[in-house]
Amino acid sequence: MAVEIKVTPKGESITSATILRWYVAGGAAVKTGDPVCELETDKATADEYAPSAGVLSIKSPPGTKVAIGDVIGSVDPNGVPSATPTAGPAANVGGNSTPTHASANETRVSPAAAVMVGTKGLDASKIPATGKGGVVTKSDVLASLEAAPKVVLPPVETKRLPEPPPIAQPGTPAVRETRHKMSMIRQRIAERLLDAQSSAAILTTFNEADMSSVMALRAKYKEGFQKKHGVGLGFMSFFVKACVEALKAFPAVNARIEGTDIVYQHFYDFGVAVSTERGLMVPVLRNADKLNFAAVEKGIADLAVKVRDGKIAVSDLQGGTLTITNGGVFGSLLST
């Protein structure tokens, strides 16, 4: 009996998601715990995993908006992988080493080769076979890939960017507009920015600070810091540690308002803005007051990698008491 793949909870307040892509095509074999698809919520992206070993069946294609708990596919433990190699990565569910029939014209493919054929989207019938009995081996697939012309694929994000307007032909009107749907993350960013205008008392104030001593200190120690800790000594660690001391001196800035109460927060979890092609995200560096400079730099670097690789969890984005944004990387002198 097939085991359903349901959209699992992604965090508090998240009720829906959009399927960005399926890592594995329908009819391909998967193992328990294999990531099978990528979902985008209004806060982050997350994977769904195979609940069982077997053959994947897809119910909801990419682009489908789904709710938490919806069934988007299933895995049949007793299913037989599709005979078409381009249907997705194949796997030998039974665990034996007998060749797999990979296409309708009886091209035989070894299990290891079948996985590579499906992953790379190759046609097994066009790969010269050197294995016993005309079986396509892993070495044959590798040789075919090596001989093929190298193609640089665009990143996944560019697939969701709007197409440029077509060049107008003589006698036809020029294209004046193109329309592109925002991702769920960008929609939520827009909503939050607009909500802030009516739900918060907004004040912007600018002050200058003499950074010459900090810059001299950084220049003096950055090389040794890199060798000792394996991470660069940036300005963010100075900013983080300075903010900790400032909030200790002025605890009301680290407080929040709930109804008629001011809630003073005696911890220092700092949001650090990270810009990505999908939109701005603010992962949280926990307990900044207890971290040394190296731990701050490593923590920020790790969070940035998780954000840009789409591996950030909703829990990583929640609970910040202060947000630091470095607009200087965009050439900004001041920003609000």
Side-chain angles (χ1 to χ4, degrees), residues 76-200:
D76 186 354
N78 300 315
V80 178
S82 170
T84 305
T86 54
N92 192 351
V93 180
N96 59 56
S97 58
T98 56
T100 302
H101 287 274
S103 66
N105 62 359
E106 300 300 320
T107 299
R108 294 190 295 169
V109 186
S110 71
V115 173
M116 294 188 66
V117 165
T119 302
K120 302 296 183 180
L122 303 175
D123 185 349
S125 65
K126 296 181 180 179
I127 299 175
T130 62
K132 185 177 180 180
V135 175
V136 176
T137 65
K138 181 179 179 180
S139 297
D140 297 332
V141 178
L142 290 172
S144 176
L145 290 171
E146 187 65 28
K150 300 298 184 291
V151 178
V152 179
L153 296 176
V156 174
E157 185 61 26
T158 61
K159 294 180 181 178
R160 294 194 295 278
L161 293 178
E163 294 293 331
I167 298 175
Q169 299 299 319
T172 61
V175 176
R176 293 174 58 85
E177 295 181 339
T178 57
R179 186 179 297 271
H180 176 64
K181 188 175 181 61
M182 288 192 295
S183 66
M184 293 185 70
I185 292 174
R186 287 194 183 278
Q187 290 179 46
R188 180 51 62 93
I189 291 172
E191 291 172 2
R192 291 296 189 225
L193 289 174
L194 185 60
D195 288 346
Q197 302 295 321
S198 58
S199 62

Side-chain angles (χ1 to χ4, degrees), residues 214 217-218 225 229 231-242 285 288 290-300:
V214 171
L217 188 67
R218 178 172 176 262
F225 190 93
H229 300 290
V231 65
L233 177 60
F235 288 113
M236 286 299 289
S237 50
F238 288 93
F239 296 155
V240 167
K241 301 305 287 186
L285 182 70
K290 299 177 182 179
L291 304 178
N292 60 24
F293 275 57
V296 170
E297 294 289 355
K298 289 178 181 178
I300 292 174

